[in-house]
Coordinates of all heavy atoms in Angstrom, one line a residue:
Q1 N 1.1 14.7 13.9 CA 2.2 15.1 12.9 C 1.6 15.0 11.5 O 1.1 13.9 11.1 CB 3.4 14.2 13.0 CG 4.5 14.5 12.0 CD 5.6 13.5 12.1 OE1 5.5 12.5 12.7 NE2 6.7 13.9 11.4
R2 N 1.6 16.0 10.8 CA 1.2 16.0 9.4 C 2.3 15.4 8.5 O 3.5 15.7 8.6 CB 1.0 17.5 8.9 CG 0.6 17.6 7.5 CD 0.4 19.1 7.2 NE 0.1 19.4 5.8 CZ 0.4 20.5 5.2 NH1 1.0 21.5 5.8 NH2 0.1 20.6 3.9
I3 N 1.9 14.4 7.7 CA 2.8 13.7 6.8 C 2.6 14.3 5.4 O 1.6 14.0 4.8 CB 2.7 12.2 6.9 CG1 2.9 11.7 8.3 CG2 3.6 11.5 5.9 CD1 2.5 10.3 8.6
K4 N 3.5 15.0 4.9 CA 3.4 15.7 3.7 C 3.8 14.8 2.5 O 4.7 15.1 1.8 CB 4.2 17.0 3.7 CG 3.8 18.0 4.7 CD 4.7 19.2 4.7 CE 4.4 20.1 5.9 NZ 5.3 21.2 5.9
R5 N 3.0 13.7 2.4 CA 3.2 12.8 1.3 C 1.8 12.4 0.8 O 0.8 12.5 1.5 CB 3.9 11.5 1.8 CG 5.2 11.8 2.5 CD 6.4 12.2 1.6 NE 6.8 11.2 0.7 CZ 7.7 10.3 0.9 NH1 8.2 10.1 2.0 NH2 8.0 9.5 -0.1
D6 N 1.8 12.0 -0.5 CA 0.5 11.5 -1.1 C 0.4 10.0 -0.9 O 1.3 9.2 -1.2 CB 0.5 11.8 -2.6 CG 0.4 13.3 -2.8 OD1 -0.3 14.0 -2.1 OD2 1.0 13.8 -3.8
F7 N -0.8 9.6 -0.4 CA -1.0 8.2 -0.2 C -2.2 7.7 -1.1 O -3.0 8.4 -1.5 CB -1.5 8.0 1.3 CG -0.3 8.1 2.2 CD1 0.0 9.4 2.7 CD2 0.4 7.0 2.7 CE1 1.0 9.5 3.7 CE2 1.4 7.2 3.6 CZ 1.7 8.4 4.1
S8 N -2.1 6.3 -1.3 CA -3.2 5.6 -2.1 C -3.7 4.5 -1.2 O -2.9 3.9 -0.5 CB -2.7 5.1 -3.4 OG -2.3 6.2 -4.2
V9 N -5.0 4.2 -1.3 CA -5.6 3.1 -0.7 C -6.0 2.1 -1.8 O -6.7 2.5 -2.8 CB -6.9 3.5 0.1 CG1 -7.6 2.3 0.7 CG2 -6.5 4.5 1.2
C10 N -5.5 0.9 -1.7 CA -5.6 0.0 -2.8 C -6.1 -1.4 -2.4 O -5.9 -1.8 -1.3 CB -4.2 -0.3 -3.5 SG -3.2 1.2 -3.8
K11 N -6.6 -2.1 -3.4 CA -6.8 -3.6 -3.3 C -5.8 -4.2 -4.3 O -5.7 -3.7 -5.4 CB -8.2 -4.0 -3.7 CG -9.2 -3.7 -2.6 CD -10.6 -3.9 -3.0 CE -11.0 -5.3 -3.2 NZ -12.4 -5.5 -3.5
V12 N -5.1 -5.2 -3.9 CA -4.1 -5.9 -4.7 C -4.4 -7.4 -4.8 O -5.0 -7.9 -4.0 CB -2.6 -5.7 -4.2 CG1 -2.3 -4.2 -4.3 CG2 -2.5 -6.2 -2.8
T13 N -3.9 -8.0 -6.0 CA -4.2 -9.4 -6.1 C -3.4 -10.2 -5.1 O -3.8 -11.2 -4.6 CB -3.8 -9.9 -7.5 OG1 -2.4 -9.5 -7.8 CG2 -4.7 -9.2 -8.6
D14 N -2.1 -9.7 -4.8 CA -1.3 -10.3 -3.8 C -0.2 -9.3 -3.4 O -0.2 -8.2 -4.0 CB -0.6 -11.6 -4.3 CG 0.2 -11.4 -5.5 OD1 1.2 -10.7 -5.5 OD2 -0.1 -12.0 -6.6
Y15 N 0.7 -9.6 -2.5 CA 1.6 -8.7 -2.0 C 3.0 -8.8 -2.7 O 4.0 -8.2 -2.2 CB 1.8 -8.8 -0.5 CG 0.5 -8.4 0.2 CD1 -0.3 -9.4 0.9 CD2 0.0 -7.1 0.1 CE1 -1.5 -9.0 1.5 CE2 -1.2 -6.8 0.7 CZ -2.0 -7.7 1.4 OH -3.1 -7.4 2.0
S16 N 3.1 -9.6 -3.7 CA 4.4 -9.9 -4.4 C 5.1 -8.6 -4.9 O 6.3 -8.6 -5.0 CB 4.3 -10.9 -5.4 OG 3.4 -10.5 -6.5
K17 N 4.3 -7.6 -5.3 CA 4.9 -6.4 -5.9 C 4.9 -5.2 -5.0 O 5.2 -4.1 -5.4 CB 4.2 -6.1 -7.2 CG 4.3 -7.2 -8.3 CD 3.7 -6.8 -9.6 CE 4.0 -7.9 -10.6 NZ 3.5 -7.5 -11.9
V18 N 4.5 -5.5 -3.7 CA 4.5 -4.4 -2.8 C 5.9 -4.1 -2.2 O 6.6 -5.1 -1.8 CB 3.5 -4.7 -1.6 CG1 3.6 -3.7 -0.5 CG2 2.1 -4.9 -2.2
N19 N 6.3 -2.9 -2.1 CA 7.6 -2.5 -1.6 C 7.5 -2.5 0.0 O 7.1 -1.5 0.6 CB 8.0 -1.2 -2.1 CG 9.4 -0.8 -1.5 OD1 10.0 -1.5 -0.8 ND2 9.8 0.4 -1.8
L20 N 7.7 -3.7 0.6 CA 7.6 -3.8 2.0 C 8.7 -3.0 2.8 O 8.7 -2.9 4.0 CB 7.6 -5.2 2.5 CG 6.4 -6.1 2.0 CD1 6.6 -7.5 2.3 CD2 5.1 -5.5 2.5
E21 N 9.7 -2.6 2.0 CA 10.8 -1.8 2.6 C 10.5 -0.3 2.6 O 11.3 0.5 3.1 CB 12.1 -2.0 1.9 CG 12.5 -3.5 2.0 CD 12.8 -4.0 3.4 OE1 13.4 -3.3 4.2 OE2 12.3 -5.1 3.7
S22 N 9.4 0.1 2.1 CA 9.0 1.5 1.9 C 8.9 2.2 3.3 O 8.6 1.5 4.3 CB 7.7 1.6 1.2 OG 7.3 3.0 1.1
E23 N 9.0 3.5 3.3 CA 8.9 4.2 4.6 C 7.4 4.1 5.1 O 7.3 4.0 6.3 CB 9.1 5.7 4.2 CG 9.1 6.7 5.3 CD 9.4 8.1 4.9 OE1 9.4 8.4 3.7 OE2 9.7 8.9 5.8
Y24 N 6.4 4.0 4.3 CA 5.1 3.8 4.7 C 4.5 2.6 3.8 O 4.4 2.8 2.6 CB 4.2 5.0 4.5 CG 4.7 6.2 5.3 CD1 5.5 7.2 4.7 CD2 4.4 6.3 6.6 CE1 6.0 8.3 5.5 CE2 4.9 7.4 7.4 CZ 5.6 8.3 6.8 OH 6.1 9.4 7.6
C25 N 4.0 1.6 4.5 CA 3.4 0.5 3.8 C 2.5 -0.2 4.8 O 3.0 -0.8 5.8 CB 4.5 -0.5 3.3 SG 3.8 -1.9 2.5
F26 N 1.2 -0.2 4.6 CA 0.3 -0.8 5.5 C -0.5 -1.9 4.8 O -1.1 -1.5 3.8 CB -0.7 0.2 6.1 CG -0.1 1.4 6.8 CD1 0.1 2.6 6.1 CD2 0.3 1.3 8.1 CE1 0.7 3.7 6.7 CE2 0.9 2.4 8.7 CZ 1.1 3.6 8.0
V27 N -0.4 -3.1 5.2 CA -1.1 -4.2 4.5 C -2.2 -4.8 5.4 O -2.0 -4.8 6.7 CB -0.2 -5.3 4.0 CG1 0.8 -4.7 3.0 CG2 0.6 -6.0 5.1
G28 N -3.3 -5.2 4.9 CA -4.3 -5.9 5.6 C -4.9 -7.0 4.8 O -5.3 -6.8 3.6
K29 N -4.9 -8.2 5.3 CA -5.4 -9.3 4.6 C -6.6 -10.0 5.3 O -6.5 -10.2 6.5 CB -4.3 -10.3 4.4 CG -4.6 -11.6 3.6 CD -3.4 -12.4 3.4 CE -3.7 -13.7 2.7 NZ -4.9 -13.9 2.0
T30 N -7.6 -10.3 4.6 CA -8.8 -11.0 5.2 C -9.1 -12.1 4.2 O -8.5 -12.3 3.2 CB -10.0 -10.1 5.4 OG1 -10.5 -9.8 4.1 CG2 -9.7 -8.9 6.2
D31 N -10.1 -12.9 4.5 CA -10.6 -13.9 3.6 C -11.2 -13.4 2.4 O -11.5 -14.1 1.4 CB -11.6 -14.9 4.3 CG -12.8 -14.2 4.8 OD1 -12.8 -13.0 5.1 OD2 -13.9 -14.8 5.0
E32 N -11.5 -12.0 2.4 CA -12.2 -11.4 1.2 C -11.3 -10.5 0.4 O -11.6 -10.2 -0.8 CB -13.3 -10.6 1.7 CG -14.4 -11.4 2.3 CD -15.6 -10.6 2.8 OE1 -15.5 -9.3 2.9 OE2 -16.7 -11.2 3.0
E33 N -10.1 -10.0 0.9 CA -9.4 -9.1 0.2 C -7.9 -8.9 0.7 O -7.6 -9.3 1.8 CB -10.0 -7.7 0.2 CG -10.0 -7.1 1.5 CD -10.7 -5.7 1.5 OE1 -10.2 -4.8 0.9 OE2 -11.7 -5.5 2.2
N34 N -7.1 -8.3 -0.2 CA -5.7 -7.9 0.2 C -5.7 -6.4 0.0 O -5.8 -5.9 -1.1 CB -4.7 -8.5 -0.8 CG -4.7 -10.0 -0.7 OD1 -4.7 -10.6 0.4 ND2 -4.6 -10.7 -1.8
S35 N -5.6 -5.7 1.1 CA -5.6 -4.2 1.1 C -4.2 -3.7 1.3 O -3.4 -4.3 1.9 CB -6.5 -3.7 2.2 OG -7.9 -4.0 1.9
L36 N -4.0 -2.5 0.8 CA -2.7 -1.8 0.9 C -2.9 -0.3 1.0 O -3.7 0.2 0.3 CB -1.9 -2.2 -0.3 CG -0.6 -1.4 -0.6 CD1 0.5 -1.7 0.5 CD2 -0.1 -1.6 -2.0
V37 N -2.2 0.3 1.9 CA -2.1 1.8 2.0 C -0.6 2.0 1.8 O 0.2 1.5 2.5 CB -2.6 2.4 3.3 CG1 -2.4 3.9 3.3 CG2 -4.1 2.0 3.5
C38 N -0.3 2.8 0.7 CA 1.1 3.1 0.4 C 1.2 4.5 -0.2 O 0.3 5.2 -0.5 CB 1.6 2.0 -0.6 SG 0.7 2.1 -2.2
L39 N 2.5 4.9 -0.3 CA 2.8 6.1 -1.0 C 2.3 6.0 -2.5 O 2.5 4.9 -3.1 CB 4.2 6.4 -1.0 CG 4.8 6.7 0.4 CD1 6.3 6.8 0.4 CD2 4.2 8.0 1.0
T40 N 1.6 7.0 -3.0 CA 1.1 6.9 -4.3 C 2.1 6.5 -5.4 O 1.9 5.7 -6.2 CB 0.4 8.2 -4.7 OG1 -0.7 8.5 -3.7 CG2 -0.2 8.2 -6.1
A41 N 3.3 7.1 -5.2 CA 4.4 6.8 -6.2 C 4.8 5.4 -6.1 O 5.5 4.9 -7.1 CB 5.5 7.7 -5.9
E42 N 4.4 4.6 -5.1 CA 4.9 3.2 -4.9 C 3.7 2.2 -5.1 O 3.9 1.1 -4.8 CB 5.6 3.1 -3.6 CG 6.8 3.9 -3.5 CD 7.6 3.7 -2.2 OE1 7.1 2.9 -1.3 OE2 8.6 4.3 -2.0
A43 N 2.6 2.7 -5.6 CA 1.5 1.7 -5.8 C 1.9 0.7 -6.8 O 2.3 1.0 -7.9 CB 0.2 2.5 -6.2
P44 N 1.7 -0.6 -6.5 CA 2.2 -1.6 -7.4 C 1.2 -1.8 -8.6 O 0.1 -1.3 -8.6 CB 2.1 -2.9 -6.6 CG 1.1 -2.6 -5.5 CD 1.2 -1.2 -5.3
D45 N 1.7 -2.4 -9.7 CA 0.9 -2.6 -10.9 C -0.1 -3.7 -10.8 O -0.8 -3.9 -11.8 CB 1.8 -2.6 -12.1 CG 2.7 -3.8 -12.1 OD1 2.6 -4.7 -11.3 OD2 3.6 -3.9 -13.0
N46 N -0.1 -4.5 -9.7 CA -1.1 -5.5 -9.6 C -2.3 -5.1 -8.7 O -3.0 -5.9 -8.1 CB -0.5 -6.8 -9.0 CG 0.1 -6.7 -7.6 OD1 0.3 -5.6 -7.1 ND2 0.3 -7.8 -7.0
T47 N -2.5 -3.8 -8.7 CA -3.6 -3.2 -8.0 C -4.9 -3.4 -8.8 O -4.9 -3.1 -10.0 CB -3.4 -1.6 -7.8 OG1 -2.2 -1.5 -7.0 CG2 -4.6 -1.0 -7.2
T48 N -5.9 -3.9 -8.2 CA -7.2 -4.1 -8.9 C -8.2 -3.0 -8.7 O -9.0 -2.7 -9.5 CB -7.9 -5.4 -8.4 OG1 -8.1 -5.4 -7.0 CG2 -7.0 -6.6 -8.7

């Protein structure tokens, strides 16, 4: 299924500003980074 939305792949300082209620929100956390895939319009301002 083609999803006709624009996405961003981000690194964030933490997840406090991530909209976890969004239709699409993928988070990945390791000992080295906090990653986020989200709708471009919803990318948080704590993106590094």
